[in-house]
């Protein structure tokens, strides 16, 4: 979603800002803009479309060593040139870029209009530029604090002001902002991806904090009702390989990230398995055995793929720890006034740690006295900081919108959590050891699935021809089907619907025809016979079938009707879902490639959805 960059230093700002914006493209956006502050004041260029369109149309004389930039994902008003950020006041002395949403924008716009001001855009952000410009406080920081005092909602902002040509000011409330320290220059960004090429010495602002940034350094303050109180924020080194933000020889980040899975899966398991006692060794939970034992229910919260893997995780927890568990879309949870019980363990799942729906759900649980742990990839992210404990996913930066390696590690984190929770309850040491061994085999088995990429590409080619398809599975296989359909629709734009195999005959069978293929998840488990019987019902109606299964499964006379059979390696049946998921990622990737789509930047989608 929206992205912010900023620069102040000894070099021309515009090329650096454009480069930074390019590095934020994966987050999803529909327009972009930059503002620079030079000898002749503030200059702004912005337009709907890609960053490269903005770069191509940039005026020749666009000099200045201070600047801010933005990629916008439309919320208030359509994606057009006027609504793109930066926004300025009437005299173009203040430029503001903003992530987040100002909830009372309509009232503030009406107030400014009553005052005779003609607002030029439909956005909530524009009011901030006017409020800062209208303040008569002495310093820029005070003017911004005064403006922010009028605002309800969430923001990460960066401000340049022609009357204060030695600084940028940034502030944060609910939307990330990071300061990067360079050599006689400073960078600002809403995501590390835009900074790591220049520096890995960074400071993350906290909610309610503001920073003044000059070429020589930065100082931070807490915005309080009585004024600005200095805080002691220091920059720290982050352990991130800049190569992680480079697709290298791959045609897309998704492909790179697909292939990284075995190594990243090893990373999440490393040091967290206790083979001797057949249990997990998850230090960050901040829960001792007695506290873990006391929970009587688990509720998993997440959005999109994190929700679907949450369903896989809930079923793992129920099976292994014999504790009632379910998953719910975090985006819905908070709106139904949920009953939060003290003996329920809440688990928030998020790659980015920024998804606002998940963050707000966590806060709702905590407000009601519930205990939340997080399964989060991005270290120090909003959800990671909000939860009471958790498991970092160690996937490395995930750039493609379609989640692959983070999702896999979410499953493995659930696996470890389920074993650890199981072992303080009724899971025997023998079963604990069986599952630990199963978990350690997964990286190698993922590698085996990925080695069949060329075969999967042929099946994907066939699926890409269909306008509409079904993904079906039962019990453990159903969230696999949901995630498979999600991945497919996200990047191929085909209609892909997930159903329980058992429910087909209660409605969707009416849609089965030679034009509508079905991808069926058929593990060799206690339901295999019933699953195969349902496949006959599809085949009888001429529906093409792709079966994701184990080599031990005998499809009998169906075999000749199946257009694609994908055998994945077997693990413990509780852990099989992740191995059944991997080929679905590869199918979606190759189908999208066949259709010629921009795989890493699917239309209308954002990597991190930071607004409700
Ligand atoms: C967005 C992305 C999805 C992702 C979801 C949750 O909708 O497009 O791919 O699964 O957010 O993201 P999170 O960062 O919380 O895992």
């Amino acid at each position: 979603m929206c992205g912010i960059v900023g620069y102040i230093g000894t070099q021309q700002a515009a090329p650096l800002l454009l480069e930074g914006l390019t590095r934020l493209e994966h987050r999803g956006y529909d327009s972009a803009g930059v503002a620079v502050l030079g000898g002749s004041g503030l200059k702004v260029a912005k337009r709907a479309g890609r960053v490269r369109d903005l770069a191509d149309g940039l005026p020749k004389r666009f000099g200045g060593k201070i600047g801010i930039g933005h990629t916008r994902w439309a919320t208030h008003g359509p994606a057009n040139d006027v609504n793109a950020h930066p926004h300025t006041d009437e005299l173009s002395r203040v430029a503001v870029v903003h992530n987040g949403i100002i909830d009372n924008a309509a009232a503030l716009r009406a107030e400014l209009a009553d005052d005779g001001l003609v607002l030029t855009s439909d956005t909530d952000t524009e009011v901030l530029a006017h409020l800062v410009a209208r303040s008569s406080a002495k310093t820029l920081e005070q003017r911004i604090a005064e403006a922010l005092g009028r605002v309800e909602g969430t923001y990460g902002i960066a401000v340049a002001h022609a009357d204060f040509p030695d600084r940028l000011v940034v502030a944060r409330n609910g939307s990330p902002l990071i300061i990067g320290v360079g050599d006689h220059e400073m960078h600002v960004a809403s995501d590390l991806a835009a900074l790591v090429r220049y520096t890995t010495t960074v400071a993350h602002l906290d909610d309610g904090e503001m920073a003044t940034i000059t070429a020589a350094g930065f100082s931070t303050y807490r915005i309080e009702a009585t004024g600005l109180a200095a805080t002691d924020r220091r920059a720290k080194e982050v352990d991130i390989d800049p190569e992680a933000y480079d697709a290298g020889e791959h045609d897309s980040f998704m492909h790179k990230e697909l292939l990284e899975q075995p190594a990243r899966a090893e990373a999440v398991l490393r040091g967290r398995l206790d083979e001797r006692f057949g249990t997990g060794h998850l230090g960050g939970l901040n829960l001792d055995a007695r506290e873990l034992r006391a929970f009587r229910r688990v509720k998993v919260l997440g959005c999109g793929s994190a929700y679907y893997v949450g369903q896989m995780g809930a079923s793992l927890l129920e099976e292994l720890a014999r504790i009632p568990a379910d998953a719910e879309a975090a985006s819905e949870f908070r709106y139904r006034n949920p009953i939060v019980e003290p003996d329920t363990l809440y688990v928030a799942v998020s790659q980015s740690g920024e998804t606002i729906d998940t963050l707000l759900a966590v806060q709702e649980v905590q407000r009601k006295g519930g205990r939340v742990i997080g399964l989060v990839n991005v270290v120090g992210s909003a959800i990671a900081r909000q939860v009471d404990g958790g498991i970092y996913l160690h996937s490395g930066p995930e750039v493609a919108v379609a989640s692959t390696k983070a999702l896999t590690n979410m499953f493995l984190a659930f696996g470890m959590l389920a074993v650890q929770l199981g072992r303080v309850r009724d899971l025997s040491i023998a079963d604990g050891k069986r599952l630990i061994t199963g978990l350690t085999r997964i990286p190698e088995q993922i590698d085996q699935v990925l080695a069949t990429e060329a075969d999967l590409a042929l099946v994907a080619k066939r699926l890409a021809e269909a306008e509409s398809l079904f993904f079906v599975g039962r019990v453990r296989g159903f969230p696999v089907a949901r995630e498979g359909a999600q991945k497919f629709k996200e990047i191929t734009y085909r209609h892909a619907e997930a159903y329980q195999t058992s429910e087909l005959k209660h409605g969707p069978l009416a849609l089965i025809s030679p034009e509508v293929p079905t991808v069926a998840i058929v593990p060799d488990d206690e339901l295999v016979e019933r699953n195969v019987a349902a496949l006959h019902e599809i085949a009888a109606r001429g529906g093409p079938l792709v079966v994701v299964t184990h080599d031990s499964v005998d499809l009998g006379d169906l075999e000749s009707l199946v257009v694609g059979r994908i055998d994945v390696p077997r693990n413990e049946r509780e852990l099989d879902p992740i191995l059944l998921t991997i080929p679905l990622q590869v199918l979606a990737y190759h189908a999208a490639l066949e259709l010629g789509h921009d795989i890493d930047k699917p239309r209308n989608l954002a990597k991190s959805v930071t607004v409700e």
Side-chain angles (χ1 to χ4, degrees):
M1 262 188 168
C2 302
I4 289 177
V5 294
Y7 174 79
I8 179 162
T10 51
Q11 306 184 58
Q12 285 300 321
L16 293 166
L17 296 172
L18 290 167
E19 154 89 17
L21 291 180
T22 311
R23 303 214 167 263
L24 296 181
E25 281 192 303
H26 68 278
R27 295 175 60 91
Y29 74 106
D30 42 46
S31 47
V34 286
V36 296
L37 196 50
S40 55
L42 200 59
K43 291 183 273 296
V44 178
K46 53 186 195 168
R47 61 193 294 171
R50 294 286 180 199
V51 174
R52 67 172 173 272
D53 304 326
L54 174 72
D56 290 347
L58 212 61
K60 284 229 160 40
R61 298 169 67 82
F62 205 73
K65 295 176 181 171
I66 301 179
I68 54 178
H70 192 260
T71 46
R72 172 175 188 252
W73 194 83
T75 55
H76 289 59
N80 57 29
D81 296 356
V82 175
N83 288 334
H85 300 208
H87 288 281
T88 60
D89 64 310
E90 295 157 287
L91 300 174
S92 265
R93 300 198 69 71
V94 184
V96 179
V97 291
H98 164 225
N99 289 354
I101 289 197
I102 297 173
D103 295 330
N104 60 338
L108 292 171
R109 286 175 66 94
E111 197 181 294
L112 289 165
D114 281 351
D115 230 22
L117 182 83
V118 181
L119 287 128
T120 52
S121 76
D122 309 310
T123 66
D124 52 345
T125 303
E126 190 187 342
V127 298
L128 271 175
H130 296 299
L131 291 174
V132 173
R134 286 172 172 232
S135 166
S136 54
K138 206 160 146 234
T139 66
L140 177 57
E141 292 73 6
Q142 286 163 345
R143 292 182 194 186
I144 294 170
E146 203 176 281
L148 293 175
R150 306 281 329 273
V151 154
E152 288 159 23
T154 55
Y155 53 80
I157 57 164
V159 183
H161 196 307
D163 296 348
F164 300 90
D166 66 336
R167 65 192 55 203
L168 288 176
V169 176
V170 296
R172 164 186 175 142
N173 183 38
S175 215
L177 256 178
I178 311 167
I179 302 169
V181 179
D183 187 11
H184 300 295
E185 59 179 12
M186 303 285 289
H187 299 263
V188 172
S190 54
D191 188 315
L192 270 179
L195 291 180
V196 291
R197 285 270 142 207
Y198 309 117
T199 177
T200 47
T201 310
V202 305
H204 288 257
L205 284 196
D206 254 345
D207 280 346
E209 239 179 348
M210 181 189 277
T212 303
I213 302 162
T214 67
F218 70 95
S219 37
T220 52
Y221 327 90
R222 177 146 286 284
I223 309 170
E224 291 173 356
T226 49
L228 295 168
T231 53
D232 183 28
R233 187 154 301 284
R234 304 271 169 88
K236 292 192 194 117
E237 262 316 291
V238 282
D239 181 20
I240 283 197
D241 175 7
E243 294 306 312
Y245 292 102
D246 202 326
E249 79 266 21
H250 299 272
D251 60 40
S252 61
F253 278 99
M254 184 178 179
H255 191 251
K256 178 181 182 226
E257 290 163 5
L258 269 171
L259 298 193
E260 277 173 4
Q261 293 188 97
R264 299 328 302 169
E266 271 177 18
V268 72
L269 297 172
R270 198 168 298 137
R272 288 166 158 175
L273 299 175
D274 181 337
E275 286 170 24
R276 190 154 156 241
F277 293 105
T279 185
H281 191 68
L282 299 167
L285 296 180
N286 296 334
L287 292 164
D288 62 26
R290 193 180 304 219
E291 288 171 306
L292 264 186
R293 238 197 109 77
F295 290 114
R296 300 183 66 86
R297 187 173 284 280
V298 180
K299 166 72 91 182
V300 182
L301 299 166
C303 295
S305 292
Y307 164 43
Y308 300 134
V309 77
Q311 288 196 312
M312 298 181 204
S315 107
L316 261 175
L317 285 158
E318 256 192 28
E319 281 192 79
L320 301 183
R322 300 306 298 157
I323 185 165
D326 72 337
E328 183 170 341
S331 48
E332 286 286 288
F333 173 77
R334 170 173 94 88
Y335 286 100
R336 56 176 186 78
N337 192 19
I339 298 167
V340 172
E341 290 172 315
D343 53 4
T344 299
L345 174 64
Y346 291 84
V347 184
V349 189
S350 176
Q351 186 285 126
S352 61
E354 269 185 54
T355 304
I356 195 80
D357 287 319
T358 311
L359 177 63
L360 294 174
V362 170
Q363 290 171 345
E364 177 70 6
V365 171
Q366 289 175 331
R367 207 171 289 125
K368 292 181 168 177
R371 184 92 172 233
V372 193
I373 60 167
L375 268 54
V376 177
N377 191 35
V378 177
V379 176
S381 57
I383 295 172
R385 288 195 281 180
Q386 183 75 43
V387 290
D388 306 305
I391 310 171
Y392 274 125
L393 300 173
H394 299 313
S395 305
E398 191 177 69
V399 175
V401 167
S403 181
T404 52
K405 59 178 183 168
L407 176 125
T408 297
N409 283 10
M410 288 169 186
F411 182 90
L412 295 174
F414 271 119
M416 293 186 284
L417 179 66
V419 174
Q420 188 160 330
L421 194 55
R423 289 288 291 123
V424 295
R425 299 166 71 87
D426 298 329
L427 191 72
S428 69
I429 191 164
D431 273 337
K433 285 185 174 180
R434 171 177 74 82
L435 286 149
I436 295 288
T437 308
L439 284 166
T440 52
R441 286 170 59 213
I442 284 180
E444 164 63 21
Q445 290 181 315
I446 293 175
D447 211 23
Q448 289 169 25
V449 178
L450 294 172
T452 66
E453 185 179 348
D455 299 331
L456 292 168
L458 294 176
V459 179
K461 223 172 173 165
R462 179 78 203 270
L463 293 178
E465 291 164 13
E467 290 291 334
S468 182
L469 7 71
F470 278 103
F471 283 73
V472 299
R474 296 193 68 165
V475 189
R476 290 182 212 104
F478 179 52
V480 174
R482 292 190 88 184
E483 169 55 18
Q486 158 95 344
K487 205 104 297 172
F488 207 87
K489 72 180 89 153
E490 273 184 307
I491 56 174
T492 68
Y493 315 148
R494 298 301 202 201
H495 169 239
E497 191 171 342
Y499 243 92
Q500 288 104 329
T501 319
S502 53
E503 280 288 302
L504 274 180
K505 56 185 178 298
H506 297 299
L509 210 49
L511 295 175
I512 296 293
S513 75
E515 282 73 50
V516 182
T518 299
V519 178
I521 314 304
V522 186
D524 190 0
D525 62 9
E526 61 279 14
L527 289 167
V528 64
E529 279 161 25
R530 288 182 190 283
N531 264 323
V532 172
L535 299 194
H536 277 283
E537 291 168 11
I538 297 168
R541 274 118 195 132
L545 278 166
V546 169
V547 187
V548 184
T549 185
H550 294 125
D551 62 3
S552 48
V553 171
D554 180 7
L555 293 177
D557 49 4
L558 267 181
E559 201 80 57
S560 60
L561 301 171
V562 162
V563 297
R565 173 176 178 140
I566 299 164
D567 289 325
V568 301
R570 276 191 83 170
N571 198 296
E572 301 302 329
R573 56 177 55 170
E574 299 91 334
L575 300 176
D576 279 333
I578 197 59
L579 293 162
L580 295 158
T581 302
I582 306 291
L584 305 186
Q585 301 172 338
V586 182
L587 287 180
Y589 163 78
H590 275 285
L593 198 64
E594 179 69 21
L595 292 165
H597 296 319
D598 186 344
I599 292 179
D600 290 334
K601 302 185 208 84
R603 70 180 182 209
N604 305 341
L605 298 181
K607 179 71 180 156
S608 307
V609 181
T610 50
V611 295
E612 271 195 85

